[in-house]
Structure formats: C-alpha cells, structure tokens
Amino acid sequence: MDVTTDPSAPWLIAGLGNPGPDYAMNRHNVGFMVADLLAGRVGGKFKRAGKAQAQVVEGRIGPPGPLNRRVIVVKPMSFMNLSGGPVNALRDFYKVPVGNIVAVHDELDIDYGTLRLKLGGGDNGHNGLKSMTKVMGSDYHRVRFGIGRPPGRMPVADFVLRDFGSAERKELDYFVDRAADAVECLVIEGLERAQSTYNS
C-alpha cells in the first residue's frame, strides 16, 4: 500500500546514524553512508538545518516531467536514539506527509547487504526507528539494509557500533550504491515497484 497522497509534496529521506568521525564506518551508520551518496547524486552538500539538529541537502531526483521529485536528504545529528526529534522538526518545516518520509537504516535480522523495503511496521529494537515512531507514528517508509547478526555471544550494541569488517568492506560500496538506487526507485516509482526490484 502506498500512502503518498500528494505527488507534488516533497520527500524527506532520513539516513540514520551517529554523528562524528568515531562512528563514521560503524555498521549502525550505514544510513548516513547512503545519505551521503544520495546527496552527491543530487549535487548538493550537507548544511546545518537552521534550528533542527540535523544536516540537510535539498535537490531533485528523477527524469524531467511528472516523475521528477523534490527531495530533502537528512542526517540527524542528535545521535541515533533521538533521531525522531530532528526528523519531525524538518517534516513540519518542509510540510512533508508522513507517507513521504523514508528512513534508511541498518537491520540485524537480514543478511549483510540484503535490502528490504516496506511501509510502516514495528521498530524491531532499532532505537532510531523507535524515536521516529514515537513522535510521528509508524506510517513512514523504511529501506532496511541488512548487517546480519553478531557472531557468537557478542552483544548487539558492540556489534552495531563496530566498523564493518574487512571482508564486508570489499562489497560495502556496491551495497550502499544499490540501497541509494532503491531509495530513488521508491520515491520515483512507488513502493511496489521498488520492492519487486530490490527486495532480495
């Protein structure tokens, strides 16, 4: 089901992660990686978003004509467990329907590099989603980037806050690129088409 009601309304794409160089290559920051790539594709550079605790890039994606979409790419700078505040502030500022919000985030219960796109649902213990749902409800889109489960008895918190391993990094650029493609497909062509193309 697509809940997008106004084709002229902008889309807000929120890559979830933690700010600062210590976290940059963490598994938990894959949303930031996808956001960085999308910002480059629309030809913009991140800038501070006024009073909102976030960095934003505004631009357009899609071919000229009715499928061309205005997008705001966002990286909340509040740390993961407070992501909802900045995203909701920008939703209000840009007048974005909740159905035009896309959260890009890491997902433990999916194999590394696998994508799953969906609308709504629970947070599966993800603190960024939990924060977003608390302030705006759950009816936003998600692009879930699989990172797999931690090995052995490693605590989940340790696993997600560690950098991708050397073997994973060999394919990381490809998977991040594919996730950005999936976001673009979702925004331009809708959830059903994006799911059929990228859900693997």
Side-chain angles (χ1 to χ4, degrees):
M1 174 180 72
D2 271 333
V3 295
T4 311
T5 53
D6 180 2
S8 67
W11 283 76
L12 193 155
I13 302 161
L16 302 186
N18 288 308
D22 290 347
Y23 300 97
M25 290 303 296
N26 286 181
R27 293 180 177 91
H28 221 20
N29 268 43
V30 74
F32 273 18
M33 298 174 197
V34 176
D36 286 338
L37 183 56
L38 286 167
R41 289 185 181 186
V42 302
K45 291 186 177 180
F46 280 102
K47 61 183 180 182
R48 193 79 182 181
K51 295 181 179 179
Q53 205 173 355
Q55 293 183 351
V56 300
V57 169
E58 298 179 54
R60 304 192 76 88
I61 60 173
L67 293 180
N68 191 259
R69 305 281 187 247
R70 181 183 174 210
V71 295
I72 301 101
V73 183
V74 180
K75 295 196 297 186
M77 293 286 113
S78 56
F79 287 95
M80 182 69 84
N81 61 348
L82 298 173
S83 299
V87 173
N88 197 45
L90 292 167
R91 175 182 76 92
D92 288 342
F93 179 79
Y94 288 104
K95 297 178 172 55
V96 179
V98 173
N100 280 33
I101 294 173
V102 183
V104 186
H105 64 93
D106 57 302
E107 179 62 61
L108 285 161
D109 287 336
I110 302 175
D111 290 340
Y112 173 61
T114 299
L115 297 176
R116 291 280 190 279
L117 284 75
K118 70 173 187 173
L119 173 65
D123 57 59
N124 202 25
H126 193 287
N127 288 330
L129 299 182
K130 194 176 296 183
S131 177
M132 286 181 60
T133 297
K134 183 177 180 180
V135 295
M136 66 180 68
S138 63
D139 291 333
Y140 53 91
H141 291 86
R142 299 103 188 274
V143 174
R144 305 154 72 204
F145 186 110
I147 61 170
R149 301 293 303 184
R153 296 185 179 184
M154 181 187 292
V156 165
D158 291 347
F159 179 68
V160 300
L161 292 175
R162 287 191 181 182
D163 289 358
F164 284 101
S166 57
E168 292 170 320
R169 285 198 297 271
K170 291 176 182 176
E171 296 181 293
L172 183 59
D173 287 348
Y174 168 76
F175 288 139
V176 168
D177 191 72
R178 190 167 184 269
D181 290 346
V183 172
E184 291 189 351
C185 184
L186 167 62
V187 170
I188 296 166
E189 301 186 67
L191 178 61
E192 199 170 296
R193 176 63 180 269
Q195 285 177 322
S196 67
T197 305
Y198 292 98
N199 278 15
S200 49

